């Protein structure tokens, strides 16, 4: 006869198995249950894709570093110490060394993650939403509305993003807020194109015709039935575009048109360190590595989400 020495563990294991079975059910009990099953399936697919999961962990790390920057930073990111200028890494408690003003580069890189995350969050909220509005309206209404909106989109797409952002920032003035606005104004056209293509595919489907027969108006159809079908493609595009948005913001900061000193913006830090690149490589290299790692994380996550959300690959 055997006895269970720890019945609490068996109960916990049974609960975990029951929860897993509920999350993998093939017959959901409600719409909310079906959404949780789909979300859990996507999470399992993400964990199975090692590169995509690596990208996800990089982005999570970026968010945690930005949240806990005061705890992770070893010095005041703006404090100057002219007695400790141009110190190499791992000298006197400076993990990444110091710059020409004696400021701790590690602390500036850590606090710079907040600026990067702030730019990414605002652009991700504004540009895709505006592109979704333009694209769905163009694709569903058609006619002269489609012609006008798509020609405006073509005009924006005709210019390189960085050049167009430079033009907007030059007109609006230097600063982080104007830089974000300029990046958003140059980032929406690809989302409009994607949303229009999805809308053209969806609007002639049978279920849209059935909804029209029930008396649904255009706004209800677009918001309630076309927008949800466009979201997966837009999410993938947003994730893949984040690397380009970070590079554009860094380019504006490098040229002095983004965040202004003494803000620890990564592009501005590279610009300040380019004069010392031969003898004091760490000043520009450390923020450059931060941009590289974060951009790589978004690209890896975007590729993984594209594989997960692509129904053609899911079926194969």
């Amino acid at each position: 006869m055997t006895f269970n020495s720890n019945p609490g563990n068996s109960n916990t294991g049974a609960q975990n198995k029951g929860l897993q079975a509920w999350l993998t059910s093939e017959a959901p009990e409600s719409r909310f249950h079906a959404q949780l099953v789909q979300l859990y399936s996507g999470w399992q697919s993400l964990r199975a894709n090692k590169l995509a999961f690596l990208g996800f962990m990089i982005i999570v790390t970026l968010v945690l570093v930005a949240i806990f920057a005061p705890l992770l930073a070893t010095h005041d990111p703006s404090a100057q110490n002219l007695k400790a200028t141009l110190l190499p890494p791992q000298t006197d408690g400076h993990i990444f060394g110091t710059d020409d003003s004696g400021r701790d580069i590690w602390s500036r890189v850590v606090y710079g993650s907040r600026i990067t995350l702030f730019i990414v969050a605002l652009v991700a909220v504004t540009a895709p939403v505006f592109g979704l509005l333009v694209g769905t309206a163009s694709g569903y209404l058609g006619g002269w509305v489609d012609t006008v909106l798509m020609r405006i989109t073509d005009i924006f797409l005709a210019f390189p993003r960085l050049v167009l952002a430079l033009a907007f920032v030059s007109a609006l003035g230097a600063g982080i807020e104007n830089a974000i606005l300029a990046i958003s104004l140059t980032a929406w056209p690809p989302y409009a194109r994607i949303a229009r293509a999805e809308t053209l595919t969806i609007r002639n489907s049978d279920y849209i015709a059935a909804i029209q027969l029930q008396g649904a108006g255009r706004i209800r159809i677009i918001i309630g039935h076309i927008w949800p079908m466009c979201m997966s493609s837009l999410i993938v595009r947003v994730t893949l575009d984040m690397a380009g948005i970070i590079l554009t913001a860094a380019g504006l900061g490098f040229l002095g048109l983004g965040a202004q000193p003494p803000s620890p913006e990564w592009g501005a830090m590279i610009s300040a360190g380019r004069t010392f690149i031969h003898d004091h490589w760490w000043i520009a290299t450390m923020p450059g590595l931060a941009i590289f790692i974060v951009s790589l994380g978004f690209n890896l996550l975007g590729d993984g989400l594209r594989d997960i959300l692509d129904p053609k690959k899911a079926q194969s």
Side-chain angles (χ1 to χ4, degrees):
M1 181 180 295
T2 59
F3 297 92
N4 188 356
S5 59
N6 194 348
N9 291 338
S10 62
N11 292 334
T12 303
Q15 292 176 358
N16 292 335
K17 290 182 179 179
L19 178 62
Q20 185 175 8
W22 186 72
L23 290 174
T24 56
S25 174
E26 296 182 357
E29 301 172 357
S30 63
R31 178 178 296 181
F32 177 72
H33 186 194
Q35 292 174 347
L36 289 180
V37 170
Q38 186 177 8
L39 184 63
Y40 183 74
S41 176
W43 168 249
Q44 292 294 94
S45 300
L46 180 63
R47 290 184 58 186
N49 190 327
K50 294 182 179 179
L51 291 179
F53 190 71
L54 174 62
F56 174 76
M57 293 306 300
I58 291 174
I59 305 307
V60 171
T61 302
L62 172 68
V63 175
L64 293 177
V65 169
I67 293 174
F68 298 105
L71 300 177
L72 296 175
T74 56
H75 298 76
D76 185 342
S78 301
Q80 299 183 8
N81 183 5
L82 299 181
K83 296 181 180 179
T85 59
L86 303 177
L87 294 179
Q90 302 297 339
T91 302
D92 296 337
H94 298 286
I95 301 174
F96 285 171
T98 61
D99 60 10
D100 57 318
S101 298
R103 295 173 296 193
D104 183 68
I105 296 177
W106 161 257
S107 301
R108 291 179 63 79
V109 169
V110 168
Y111 272 91
S113 65
R114 289 187 165 185
I115 298 177
T116 299
L117 194 62
F118 177 67
I119 294 173
V120 166
L122 285 186
V123 175
V125 168
T126 55
V129 172
F130 185 72
L132 180 63
L133 290 172
V134 173
T136 51
S138 176
Y140 188 80
L141 299 178
W144 66 269
V145 176
D146 182 28
T147 302
V148 172
L149 292 179
M150 285 301 101
R151 296 300 76 78
I152 295 175
T153 303
D154 291 338
I155 293 173
F156 276 85
L157 289 173
F159 295 93
R161 178 177 296 181
L162 182 58
V163 174
L164 195 58
L166 286 173
F168 281 121
V169 173
S170 299
L172 298 172
I176 186 64
E177 295 83 4
N178 291 337
I180 295 173
L181 179 59
I183 295 172
S184 299
L185 289 174
T186 60
W188 66 267
Y191 303 110
R193 282 289 187 184
I194 293 175
R196 177 180 180 271
E198 294 283 352
T199 304
L200 290 175
T201 303
I202 298 169
R203 71 174 185 178
N204 294 323
S205 59
D206 293 338
Y207 81 93
I208 294 294
I211 296 170
Q212 290 174 338
L213 291 176
Q214 294 176 1
R218 292 178 176 179
I219 297 179
R220 178 184 172 186
I221 293 174
I222 291 175
I223 296 177
H225 301 279
I226 294 181
W227 280 7
M229 299 298 292
C230 298
M231 291 308 297
S232 60
S233 299
L234 289 181
I235 290 173
V236 173
R237 179 71 193 217
V238 167
T239 310
L240 292 173
D241 275 359
M242 286 301 104
I245 290 170
I246 292 172
L247 293 176
T248 302
L252 294 175
F254 183 86
L255 296 173
L257 298 175
Q260 299 300 300
S263 298
E265 198 272 327
W266 293 343
M269 291 174 65
I270 296 176
S271 177
R274 72 185 190 278
T275 307
F276 310 95
I277 191 65
H278 295 292
D279 298 324
H280 307 92
W281 53 268
W282 56 89
I283 301 177
T285 301
M286 298 308 178
L289 285 175
I291 294 174
F292 166 75
I293 293 173
V294 172
S295 300
L296 178 64
F298 276 112
N299 283 330
L300 293 176
L301 179 60
D303 287 336
L305 290 178
R306 180 175 56 190
D307 295 339
I308 294 171
L309 298 176
D310 189 355
K312 295 180 181 178
K313 292 187 177 182
Q315 292 174 0
S316 62

